[in-house]
Amino acid sequence: VQLQASGGGLVQPGGSLTLSCEVSGSTSSINNIGWYRQAPGKPRDLVAIISHGGSITYLDSVKGRFTISRDNSKNTATLQMNSLKPEDTAVYYCNAEDWAGNNNYWGQGTLVTVSS
């Protein structure tokens, strides 16, 4: 399984960005797709995760601002980020987990910088 993330960049506070994750390879083995982020000197945190059936969990600090979605027919997942804050600045990583929960796959990180 391979993951290709895209969509990071520099945005002003209050702005929006959309991150995309394309999953390839043995896509039928994948249940959950999630976005994690890691700021300098901090641990990697789960931002949002969506199951194959559409169940969603968000980090409390992004609820109401971020929206995760996925298109199972295209094997893609999207993280729409609105009302961005400087504290959202981090490297964002796409992650996929198989149905058994035994294997996790990571995409390359994409940097999101929120700054005026």
Side-chain angles (χ1 to χ4, degrees), residues 35-52:
W35 287 96
Y36 290 70
R37 68 185 182 188
Q38 187 167 23
K42 294 187 177 181
R44 189 174 295 187
D45 292 326
L46 174 65
V47 175
I49 189 168
I50 183 168
S51 71
H52 189 274

Side-chain angles (χ1 to χ4, degrees), residues 83-105:
S83 302
L84 282 160
K85 304 175 181 180
E87 51 263 44
D88 295 317
T89 294
V91 178
Y92 284 69
Y93 296 90
C94 180
N95 170 273
E97 183 183 49
D98 67 10
W99 288 92
N102 293 330
N103 295 294
N104 270 274
Y105 306 93

Side-chain angles (χ1 to χ4, degrees), residues 6-20 35 47 65-68 78-85 88-92 110-115:
S6 61
L10 173 64
V11 63
Q12 292 186 342
S16 298
L17 278 176
T18 302
L19 304 183
S20 296
W35 287 96
V47 175
R65 299 189 296 121
F66 291 11
T67 302
I68 190 171
T78 299
L79 185 68
Q80 176 65 43
M81 305 185 294
N82 299 327
S83 302
L84 282 160
K85 304 175 181 180
D88 295 317
T89 294
V91 178
Y92 284 69
T110 185
L111 178 62
V112 172
T113 303
V114 184
S115 174

Side-chain angles (χ1 to χ4, degrees), residues 12-76:
Q12 292 186 342
S16 298
L17 278 176
T18 302
L19 304 183
S20 296
C21 178
E22 181 176 356
V23 183
S24 61
S26 183
T27 57
S28 62
S29 68
I30 298 302
N31 178 19
N32 296 323
I33 299 177
W35 287 96
Y36 290 70
R37 68 185 182 188
Q38 187 167 23
K42 294 187 177 181
R44 189 174 295 187
D45 292 326
L46 174 65
V47 175
I49 189 168
I50 183 168
S51 71
H52 189 274
S55 297
I56 293 172
T57 300
Y58 291 106
L59 179 69
D60 282 347
S61 62
V62 308
K63 287 180 180 178
R65 299 189 296 121
F66 291 11
T67 302
I68 190 171
S69 60
R70 70 189 282 176
D71 185 333
N72 291 327
S73 66
K74 297 180 179 179
N75 299 308
T76 58

